[in-house]
Amino acid sequence: MNGSVGMDLAEISRIRKAMENPRFLLEFFTENERAYITARHTPEQSAAGAWAAKEAFSKAVGTGVRGWSLREVEVLHDPLGQPVLRLHGRAAQQFSDYAFSLSISHTDTMAAAVVLAEKQGGK
């Protein structure tokens, strides 16, 4: 695979319900992600966007969530607000030879994310 795309949709109402259990954010999101999500005016939309990004990543790499965990795929934002992926642990090791691009969008009811995975030469 030289390059592939993954896309996912997340229902914001489903994420809002999941967030009623404090373990949801702790289990699937890093400390940085939780800080970003809880600081937002609509935290459920931000959480849904990050969730969709993690799922889109799993589709772009073609493995599903196997051999790594969703917490190892961190959704951050650059100084201009563009979402970016930072990989940790087994995900970082397994996909070290890839570069990723991420786009996230949402409405009042749905969040969407697209991840482009491109294999880098030489590794």
Side-chain angles (χ1 to χ4, degrees):
M1 165 175 82
N2 285 338
S4 64
V5 175
M7 191 269 185
D8 194 66
L9 295 171
E11 292 182 62
I12 292 171
S13 62
R14 189 178 125 230
I15 298 299
R16 182 183 303 116
K17 182 155 182 65
M19 288 174 67
E20 291 174 6
N21 182 340
R23 291 185 310 193
F24 173 73
L25 289 179
L26 289 172
E27 184 172 344
F28 296 109
F29 297 91
T30 67
E31 184 177 338
N32 290 329
E33 289 172 316
R34 292 191 306 270
Y36 179 84
I37 289 166
T38 58
R40 307 303 293 173
H41 177 66
T42 53
E44 64 278 3
Q45 288 178 342
S46 296
W51 180 266
K54 292 167 184 271
E55 290 289 332
F57 171 86
S58 76
K59 294 171 183 174
V61 298
T63 64
V65 184
R66 288 184 194 88
W68 52 274
S69 73
L70 289 175
R71 274 187 57 152
E72 293 174 338
V73 177
E74 186 174 36
V75 179
L76 302 172
H77 296 81
D78 74 10
L80 297 176
Q82 180 177 350
V84 295
L85 293 173
R86 180 187 297 161
L87 304 183
H88 303 279
R90 295 169 295 178
Q93 292 171 345
Q94 191 170 346
F95 305 110
S96 65
D97 54 347
Y98 286 85
F100 298 95
S101 298
L102 169 62
S103 182
I104 300 173
S105 187
H106 62 75
T107 66
D108 290 339
T109 60
M110 298 293 292
V114 176
V115 171
L116 172 62
E118 294 181 284
K119 188 159 183 119
Q120 304 300 291
K123 289 188 177 184

